[in-house]
Amino acid sequence: SKGGIDLSEHEWLNMIEDLEEIKFFSRTKLINPDKLTLTPAEMELLLLLYLKKGELGPGQVSELMHMKRESISRVVRSLLNKGDVIKVKCPEDERRYILELTADGQRELDTNYKRILKPLYYLKKSLGDDFRPFIDMVVTANRLMKQYEEEI
């Protein structure tokens, strides 16, 4: 058998159907929520500012998001243009600035997270007690697939 896979024709057909179900699930609104107005990096930066209540400069953001400063600069520029963040000069060092979340930025963050989480809440409500075991299985499957990718 090639690559250690030896399936009967019946099992092979079942596996193809299983794969199609997984592909369908990965294309659902859960994975691809409706019309987000922020990129993932913009959302992450706004969330960081929200959680840290400001006080973050571009260097700290770059470290926390594990992104290059140039990439962070683009994200910051985009959020400044949208009015979602403002630059505030650092009182201790006039050359430095910190980023602050604006009321508009807070609204954008709320709107986007509601759009992202709404399908998940629907799934949780619909699955009831099966939701946590489902998530645990997804975590296990992700770990196994990561292991598989490292082995090939």
Side-chain angles (χ1 to χ4, degrees):
S1 69
K2 287 183 182 169
I5 299 173
D6 189 19
L7 303 174
S8 67
E9 187 176 343
H10 179 69
E11 190 176 2
W12 183 82
L13 291 172
N14 286 341
M15 292 293 275
I16 293 291
E17 286 174 15
D18 293 343
L19 185 58
E20 288 306 311
E21 287 295 335
I22 292 169
K23 284 181 183 177
F24 175 76
F25 184 78
S26 70
R27 289 191 303 263
T28 64
K29 295 282 181 226
L30 184 65
I31 312 300
N32 303 297
D34 285 323
K35 309 291 179 277
L36 298 179
T37 57
L38 296 167
T39 66
E42 289 172 339
M43 284 182 61
E44 188 178 345
L45 193 141
L46 291 181
L47 186 61
L48 263 179
L49 293 176
Y50 173 77
L51 294 173
K52 296 278 186 186
K53 302 288 182 241
E55 302 305 306
L56 291 175
Q60 294 154 300
V61 168
S62 173
E63 283 174 36
L64 289 166
M65 289 178 62
H66 307 287
M67 287 174 69
K68 291 182 181 148
R69 271 187 104 125
E70 305 83 61
S71 302
I72 293 299
S73 293
R74 278 192 300 276
V75 174
V76 168
R77 209 169 22 254
S78 170
L79 290 171
L80 284 167
N81 290 339
K82 293 179 188 183
D84 292 337
V85 297
I86 55 170
K87 284 183 182 180
V88 178
K89 281 211 183 294
C90 219
E92 307 87 51
D93 183 352
E94 285 293 310
R95 295 166 301 175
R96 293 188 57 237
Y97 67 89
I98 57 172
L99 298 166
E100 283 185 11
L101 186 61
T102 63
D104 281 349
Q106 178 67 58
R107 270 193 300 280
E108 282 295 294
L109 192 58
D110 290 345
T111 300
N112 281 271
Y113 269 103
K114 282 178 184 155
R115 287 179 183 162
I116 285 174
L117 293 176
K118 189 177 177 187
L120 188 63
Y121 277 112
Y122 174 81
L123 192 62
K124 182 177 183 180
K125 186 177 161 207
S126 302
L127 286 174
D129 291 342
D130 290 334
F131 181 74
R132 187 46 45 200
F134 166 72
I135 295 297
D136 292 341
M137 289 297 287
V138 169
V139 169
T140 300
N142 285 337
R143 184 176 40 79
L144 292 171
M145 290 312 297
K146 187 174 182 228
Q147 202 175 305
Y148 170 76
E149 287 172 5
E150 288 168 359
E151 288 174 12
I152 57 171

